[in-house]
Amino acid sequence: MRIQVRSVLDIAKILTGRKIFVDLPEQSTLRELLRQMTDIYGREFYDAVCDESGYRANKVAILVNGANIAAVGGVDINLKDGDDVLILPMISGG
């Protein structure tokens, strides 16, 4: 199955673009997508997005088809062909 992954700012720089496509086996979870992306994009991606629990909830928001994963099952949700994953870095300042 093919998943669209979109991002902005520093994460888009790591992915070398604001939109990429990742091919995964059927029945893959978001956790497996993040693992595959770590394999492809390396430690820089992992440090920006991931941690032992799956993702850095205090540093990024991840939406699948517009729904924040924190509200719909976290990184263990199943993905399906054509899903849109948006990874947004938290922005703060004052």
Side-chain angles (χ1 to χ4, degrees):
M1 68 182 172
R2 182 166 255 208
I3 306 298
Q4 174 179 269
V5 180
R6 296 181 298 129
S7 61
V8 295
L9 302 171
D10 293 343
I11 298 168
K13 289 178 187 175
I14 295 167
L15 303 181
T16 64
R18 294 182 63 181
K19 179 170 61 171
I20 63 165
F21 292 91
V22 179
D23 293 316
L24 295 170
E26 293 293 325
Q27 304 298 318
S28 291
T29 64
L30 178 60
R31 183 183 303 273
E32 291 162 333
L33 171 68
L34 296 175
R35 282 185 190 143
Q36 182 163 333
M37 291 180 69
T38 296
D39 289 345
I40 295 167
Y41 297 101
R43 187 68 189 195
E44 189 176 14
F45 175 81
Y46 182 87
D47 289 343
V49 176
C50 303
D51 66 12
E52 297 79 27
S53 71
Y55 79 107
R56 295 178 180 268
N58 63 335
K59 295 212 179 216
V60 297
I62 301 177
L63 288 74
V64 176
N65 300 323
N68 190 322
I69 64 161
V72 295
V75 293
D76 293 316
I77 62 169
N78 287 321
L79 298 174
K80 60 186 181 312
D81 188 49
D83 276 352
D84 176 61
V85 175
L86 176 60
I87 304 172
L88 296 170
M90 299 288 187
I91 299 172
S92 62

